[in-house]
Amino acid sequence: MTTHLTHWGAFEASSDGERLTSVRPWSGDPEPMPLIENVASAQHHVTRIDQPHVRRGWLENGPGATPRGAEPFVPVSWERALALLSGELGRVYQQYGAEAVYGGSYGWASAGRFHHAQSQLHRFLNCLGGYVRHVNSYSLGVSAVLLPHVIGELDWVMRHATAKTVLAARSELVVAFGGLSPKNAAVSPGGVSRHNARTWIAQARARGCRFVSISPLRDDTPSEGAAEWIAPLPGSDAAMMLALAQVLDAEGLADKDFLREYTVGYDRFAEYLRGARDGVTKDPEWAATITGVPADRIRMLAREMAAARTLVTVSWALQRAQYGEQPLWLGVVLAAMLGEIGLPGGGFGHGYGSTAGLGEPARIPVPRLPQGGNGVETFIPVARIADMLLNPGVPYRYNGHDLVYPDIRLVYWCGGNPFHHHQDLARLRTAFACPDTVVVHDAFWTATARHADIVLPSTMSIERDDFGVGEGDRMFFPMPALTRPHGAARDDHWMFAELAERLGVGKEFTEGRTVDEWLRHLYEDWRLIQSAAGHDLPGFDQFWASESIELPVPEADQVLAAQFRDDPDRCPLTTPSGKIEIFSETIDGFGYPDCPGHPVWLEPEEWLGGPAAARFPLQLVANQPRTKLHSQLDVGAHSLSAKIGGREPVRLHPSDAAARGLGGGEIVRIFNGRGSCLAGLIIDDAVRVGVAQLSTGAWYDPDPADPTFCRHGNPNALTADRPASTLSQGCTGQLALVQIERYSGVIADVTVRCPPATS
Ligand SMILES: Nc1nc2c(c(=O)[nH]1)N[C@H]1C(S)=C(S)[C@@H](COP(=O)(O)OP(=O)(O)OC[C@H]3O[C@@H](n4cnc5c(=O)[nH]c(N)nc54)[C@H](O)[C@@H]3O)O[C@H]1N2
Ligand SMILES: Nc1nc2c(c(=O)[nH]1)N[C@H]1C(S)=C(S)[C@@H](COP(=O)(O)OP(=O)(O)OC[C@H]3O[C@@H](n4cnc5c(=O)[nH]c(N)nc54)[C@H](O)[C@@H]3O)O[C@H]1N2
Ligand SMILES: [Mo]
C-alpha cells in the first residue's frame, strides 16, 4: 500500500495502475474520515474531463461574449488546444496588457506542494507579465482585514493560536460562537495526518471543562463536549456579545488592569455599552429581544465567564456574513475584558471548529513553488469577482483604499470552482458572459468548466508525483502517483510548460527542470535552509522512500499572545497602537457607516428579526458540507450516499416542517427573491426553529430556461452577492433568508452528473 494525502486526511491505497483497488485510512490517524471514500469512486466517473474541449461558439467565431454555459463543446487534440490558447493569451497580453487578465483563480485544488494549481498558474502568468490578482479568501474575508487593526495579522492569530493540548489541560470554560464543528476541523489546506477534533474536547471535558456552544445547530459541537446549546437568531451574535460585555462592565467583572495595560479605547466602547449617546443600555434584556436568548441566561453566562479560565472562540462562519466584523471584534473584546489573553487555556480563539490546523503548534515552514513577481498591482478583494466583471472602470472602496475595477478580457481559472463558491450564481453567470475568453483547468466537468471557452483536463493528485503537508500539520508525506492519468488528462504544470514554450517563456517557467527534478530541487533547497536553522532532515531519496517524516515543532505549548502579555513594551502587537484595539482610530478614520470605530450591533438586511423575514421567514445556513470538501468529488460515493432523491439534503426543525405540511425525504423547493433550488428534506430537532441548513457543495445545475433555479441544491442560487462591509468587502455566503415549499413541478434529472453535450 502507498500513502497519499488529501485536504481531508491521509490514506493508504493499492492500485492496478489504472484505478485504486483498495483504500484504507492512514494507520497513524486516530479519527479517520469517511471523505477519503470519495477519491477512488470519483476517479473515473463520467464527469471526468478526458481531453481538451473548446466551446463551439468560441471555436467558430473566436473570442467574444456569446452566452456561456449553454453551448456544446467540441473535443480537440492537445496540439490544437494549446495552439488556440497560446494564440489567445498572446493576443490579450499584446492588445490589452496584463491588467486585462484575471488570474486570481481562487480555490482549494488538491493537496501537494508542487502541483498546487494556483501557484502553477500564478507562476505562469507572472512569466507573461503578471495578472490581476485577488486578496483574502472566502474563508476569512473579514478576518484578514479586521484582525490586523484589532489584535494582529491573521496569519499570526492562526499560526500562534493557543495549542489544543493546552486547552485540553487548562481551560475551565469554552464559549464557542459557531460551535466546534468536528466535520470542519477534519480539514486543513494541504492535508491532515492525525485528526484530533474530538480528542482535545473529550480530554478537557473529562477534566471538568464546560463547553457552551452558541450556534443554530446542536451538532456544531461534538457530543464529547456535552455542551450546553444556546441558539440565538443567526446573525445576532453581536447583540448577545455586547450584553455579555455590558454585564462584565456594569458588575465590575471586567479586568481593569488588563484593559489599562494591554488595550486602547475601552472607554469609548463602554460609553456605547452604557448607552451614553443613544440612550440604549446594551444589557441582557435589550439583547434578549434581538437574539431570542433569555436575559437571565446571558447574565449568568457573563458571570460564569468571569469566574473561570475561559476561552472565547469565534468560528469563521460568523464573519462570513453581513457586518461579520462585529461578532469577531467582540470576541476579542470579550476575551480582553476577561483579562486572560496570553494565559494558557483562556483568551481568544478563531476557528477551533473551522480547520484542523488551528491550535496545532507552529512547525517549521515547508517547501513551496516560487511564483515569481507580478508586474500588475491591481487586485480585488476575492469575493468582488462578479462586481469586477460587470463594472469595469467603476470605483469602489476597501479598507481605506479608493480602488477602480479593471477591464478584464481574459479570465483564467485553475484549481477552483466559482460556480460553487460564489454568491448569487445567476449574477455570476451574467458576469462570466462579459470577458472575451474564459479558460478553465479542472479534472471534472464542474459548473465552472461548463461556463468556460477553453477547458483543459487536469490530473487528480493520485495521478502524479508530488509531496504534501497540511497547514499546521507536522507530517510531511511523499505522494508518488498511484495510477496513470485518466484519459488524456495532464498535470497543470505540463500544460503551463507547453504554453510557456509556445509563448517564448519556456525557460523562465520550467528553469529547465522536469517534475522529478523540481521535487528534488525544492526539497533539497528547503533542507539546506532548515539545516542552517538547526533542523536535521533526511535527504530527498530517504524522504521519498519513507512513508512520511515528522517535522520539528519548536514550541509545543504555545499560547496566543503570551509574549505580549509578558512584556508588552518589548513584544508589542502589530496593531497601530501595539495594543489590542477596542476602539480603532484607523477604522474610525475611514468613516464607513457599516463598520464604525468600535464594535456595535448593526441589524443585517437578511435576518429573522428584520422586516425581510415577513416574506422569507426561514434563515438559510449555508455552511460547509459534511460529506465532502466544498464541491470536490461531489460525484464520489460518500457524497452521493447523503443525497435525497439525488439532491443535496436540507435540514429543518420538526415544527417548521409541520407548519408547511412537509415530510422527511420529500423534494422541496427553497426560494427567495434571487433564486431557487431543489433539495431533499431531513427533519431534525438539532436545527434551531426558523433555520434551514443547506450546506454548500452540490454542483450547480441550472435549469436551461432559468439560471436562477438550481435543480440540485447549491445554496449559492439563493445567497446574496453582498459584501460584509466597505471595510473588508468579504464574502457573506453563510446566511440568507428563504422560504420552503413542497415542489409541485416535474422533478427534472440532475444533469450536472452527466458530461455536457459535445459536437
Ligand atoms: N454560500 C456559501 N458559499 C461559500 C461558503 C459558505 O460558507 N457559504 N464557503 C466559501 C469558502 S470558505 C470557500 S474556501 C470556497 C471554496 O471554493 P473552492 O475552493 O472553489 O471549492 P472547491 O470545490 O474546493 O474547488 C476546487 C476545484 O479545484 C479542482 N481541482 C482539484 N485538484 C485540481 C488540480 O490539481 N488542478 C486543477 N486545475 N483543478 C483541481 C476541483 O475539481 C474543484 O473543482 O467556497 C465558499 N463558498
Ligand atoms: N467537511 C468539511 N470541512 C471543511 C470544509 C468543507 O467543505 N467540508 N471547508 C473548510 C473551509 S474552506 C473553511 S473556510 C472552514 C469553514 O469553517 P466555518 O466557517 O467555521 O464552518 P461553517 O460550516 O461554514 O460554519 C460553522 C457553523 O457556524 C454556524 N453559524 C452560522 N451562522 C451563525 C451565526 O450567525 N451565529 C452563530 N453563533 N453560528 C452561526 C453554523 O451552524 C455552522 O454550522 O471549514 C473547513 N472545513
Ligand atoms: Mo474556506
Side-chain angles (χ1 to χ4, degrees):
M1 305 280 274
T2 308
T3 310
H4 190 78
L5 189 59
T6 68
H7 297 303
W8 48 90
F11 62 77
E12 298 163 12
S14 51
S15 135
D16 61 11
E18 166 118 21
R19 57 188 71 239
L20 304 185
T21 46
S22 99
V23 173
R24 64 176 185 222
W26 179 55
S27 56
D29 190 347
E31 297 178 26
M33 286 295 138
L35 271 70
I36 58 177
E37 290 165 24
N38 286 335
V39 180
S41 49
Q43 186 186 9
H44 298 296
H45 191 267
V46 291
T47 54
R48 265 313 283 273
I49 309 174
D50 54 4
Q51 73 176 91
H53 286 76
V54 181
R55 181 168 65 83
R56 193 174 63 194
W58 196 96
L59 197 60
E60 287 172 358
N61 309 319
T66 45
R68 298 193 165 90
E71 274 186 349
F73 285 91
V74 182
V76 297
S77 68
W78 271 112
E79 199 46 55
R80 179 119 191 260
L82 293 167
L84 285 168
L85 178 50
S86 55
E88 175 60 359
L89 283 164
R91 181 188 78 90
V92 172
Y93 272 91
Q94 197 180 26
Q95 219 168 312
Y96 302 103
E99 284 253 3
V101 175
Y102 182 66
S105 185
Y106 182 77
W108 271 54
S110 292
R113 304 290 308 174
F114 174 71
H115 289 289
H116 183 244
Q118 261 194 63
S119 306
Q120 290 286 349
L121 172 64
H122 294 163
R123 182 180 168 88
F124 167 67
L125 295 178
N126 283 338
C127 292
L128 299 177
Y131 59 95
V132 174
R133 67 198 157 92
H134 71 73
V135 295
N136 311 331
S137 61
Y138 279 73
S139 319
L140 291 155
V142 163
S143 311
V145 175
L146 180 74
L147 291 176
H149 294 294
V150 170
I151 185 166
E153 297 298 319
L154 175 63
D155 190 52
W156 172 80
V157 173
M158 294 289 139
R159 237 176 258 272
H160 297 277
T162 301
K164 284 176 275 192
T165 49
V166 173
L167 302 179
R170 301 295 294 277
S171 300
E172 293 167 355
L173 176 62
V174 173
V175 180
F177 290 90
L180 295 164
S181 167
K183 69 168 167 55
N184 293 349
V187 168
S188 178
V192 185
S193 57
R194 302 181 184 112
H195 288 95
N196 59 19
R198 293 172 187 275
T199 313
W200 76 269
I201 293 173
Q203 286 168 347
R205 180 69 205 166
R207 197 181 31 76
C209 174
R210 281 207 315 118
F211 288 84
V212 179
S213 181
I214 299 166
S215 154
L217 307 177
R218 189 172 59 220
D219 43 17
D220 270 338
T221 295
S223 54
E224 282 81 351
E228 176 190 353
W229 180 32
I230 299 179
L233 290 187
S236 74
D237 300 69
M240 178 168 167
M241 294 162 117
L242 284 165
L244 292 168
Q246 190 275 337
V247 175
L248 297 178
D249 181 64
E251 299 190 3
L253 298 173
D255 186 332
K256 296 210 180 55
D257 295 337
F258 186 90
L259 290 171
R260 190 180 326 106
E261 188 154 8
Y262 299 102
T263 74
V264 294
Y266 181 70
D267 292 346
R268 293 283 293 271
F269 174 67
E271 279 175 18
Y272 174 73
L273 291 178
R274 297 167 194 159
R277 282 169 209 218
D278 59 3
V280 181
T281 310
K282 311 302 175 304
D283 60 15
E285 285 68 25
W286 167 81
T289 63
I290 295 170
T291 61
V293 179
D296 287 350
R297 186 63 203 104
I298 300 178
R299 185 165 281 114
M300 286 303 295
L301 181 59
R303 293 174 187 157
E304 290 158 18
M305 290 166 77
R309 179 60 60 88
T310 299
L311 177 80
V312 179
T313 177
V314 180
S315 278
W316 299 352
L318 271 80
Q319 51 87 65
R320 206 174 302 113
Q322 193 180 23
Y323 313 133
E325 288 80 2
Q326 308 309 319
L328 177 61
W329 199 344
L330 282 163
V332 178
V333 170
L334 276 176
M337 292 177 78
L338 296 171
E340 292 177 342
I341 290 177
L343 293 182
F348 170 72
H350 188 26
Y352 284 102
S354 303
T355 179
L358 196 89
E360 293 301 317
R363 45 126 175 91
I364 60 167
V366 290
R368 52 173 62 230
L369 178 73
Q371 295 182 10
N374 188 346
V376 175
E377 276 174 18
T378 309
F379 67 87
I380 56 164
V382 67
R384 298 278 57 81
I385 170 77
D387 281 2
M388 171 184 74
L389 295 175
L390 291 166
N391 302 301
V394 171
Y396 68 105
R397 292 174 300 164
Y398 160 74
N399 196 20
H401 304 279
D402 288 316
L403 302 171
V404 175
Y405 287 120
D407 186 0
I408 297 299
R409 298 303 173 125
L410 186 145
V411 170
Y412 208 130
W413 229 287
C414 178
N417 188 3
F419 279 88
H420 144 68
H421 71 229
H422 193 61
Q423 287 56 64
D424 197 345
L425 292 176
R427 182 172 190 258
L428 184 69
R429 190 166 148 125
T430 311
F432 258 59
C434 299
D436 294 355
T437 298
V438 176
V439 188
V440 170
H441 298 191
D442 205 298
F444 291 88
W445 278 112
T446 62
T448 302
R450 291 167 205 245
H451 286 83
D453 302 313
I454 300 179
V455 180
L456 300 183
S458 304
T459 48
M460 288 172 70
S461 63
I462 53 174
E463 299 166 347
R464 61 202 181 206
D465 287 340
D466 208 336
F467 44 57
V469 48
E471 218 165 85
D473 203 273
R474 57 177 94 171
M475 301 309 293
F476 189 10
F477 291 88
M479 295 166 61
L482 297 172
T483 74
R484 75 179 78 93
H486 174 88
R490 294 278 185 279
D491 303 341
D492 300 304
H493 176 78
W494 179 88
M495 300 180 216
F496 292 130
E498 290 288 324
L499 290 167
E501 190 60 40
R502 285 167 176 75
L503 288 158
V505 291
K507 189 82 186 152
E508 283 99 311
F509 181 72
T510 64
E511 294 178 23
R513 292 188 195 96
T514 64
V515 171
D516 285 355
E517 287 164 353
W518 266 111
L519 293 176
R520 184 178 293 273
H521 165 76
L522 292 174
Y523 183 95
E524 287 297 348
D525 236 32
W526 165 77
R527 187 166 81 100
L528 214 64
I529 295 167
Q530 295 312 318
S531 139
H535 303 299
D536 194 23
L537 294 157
F540 181 77
D541 291 318
Q542 199 186 332
F543 164 71
W544 194 250
S546 76
E547 179 226 61
S548 58
I549 61 171
E550 184 148 1
L551 300 174
V553 169
E555 197 198 336
D557 292 334
Q558 74 182 28
V559 171
L560 182 70
Q563 284 153 326
F564 167 64
R565 187 183 185 102
D566 286 348
D567 194 342
D569 296 325
R570 284 195 45 219
C571 305
L573 299 177
T574 55
T575 58
S577 60
K579 298 186 178 192
I580 295 164
E581 303 218 347
I582 296 174
F583 180 90
S584 162
E585 296 282 354
T586 311
I587 294 177
D588 187 57
F590 297 155
Y592 301 145
D594 52 5
C595 189
H598 63 74
V600 294
W601 162 244
L602 296 170
E603 196 176 313
E605 280 159 74
E606 294 189 38
W607 74 301
L608 292 173
R615 259 182 90 201
F616 301 113
L618 292 169
Q619 184 89 62
L620 179 77
V621 170
N623 63 350
Q624 314 301 310
R626 182 176 52 82
T627 56
K628 54 192 165 264
L629 172 71
H630 314 136
S631 70
Q632 293 199 28
L633 312 182
D634 187 28
V635 294
H638 185 59
S639 178
L640 289 178
S641 73
K643 308 253 178 197
I644 295 177
R647 324 287 143 156
E648 200 64 16
V650 60
R651 288 200 298 171
L652 210 54
H653 188 271
S655 64
D656 288 319
R660 290 163 179 77
L662 300 172
E666 276 192 65
I667 303 295
V668 295
R669 176 175 171 265
I670 312 177
F671 62 98
N672 62 16
R674 286 177 294 268
S676 61
C677 69
L678 300 183
L681 183 63
I682 295 177
I683 300 175
D684 190 345
D685 68 3
V687 179
R688 188 201 194 283
V689 173
V691 164
Q693 179 228 332
L694 172 67
S695 296
T696 62
W699 287 0
Y700 171 57
D701 191 35
D703 185 321
D706 176 11
T708 68
F709 174 43
C710 170
R711 298 166 295 186
H712 187 191
N714 187 313
N716 284 321
L718 300 155
T719 53
D721 191 0
R722 175 197 290 134
S725 74
T726 313
L727 181 83
S728 65
Q729 297 285 356
C731 155
T732 61
Q734 185 76 196
L735 301 175
L737 287 178
V738 298
Q739 178 57 294
I740 298 188
E741 63 182 14
R742 174 170 298 120
Y743 184 58
S744 50
V746 180
I747 298 179
D749 288 340
V750 173
T751 58
V752 75
R753 280 194 290 269
C754 302
T758 51
S759 70

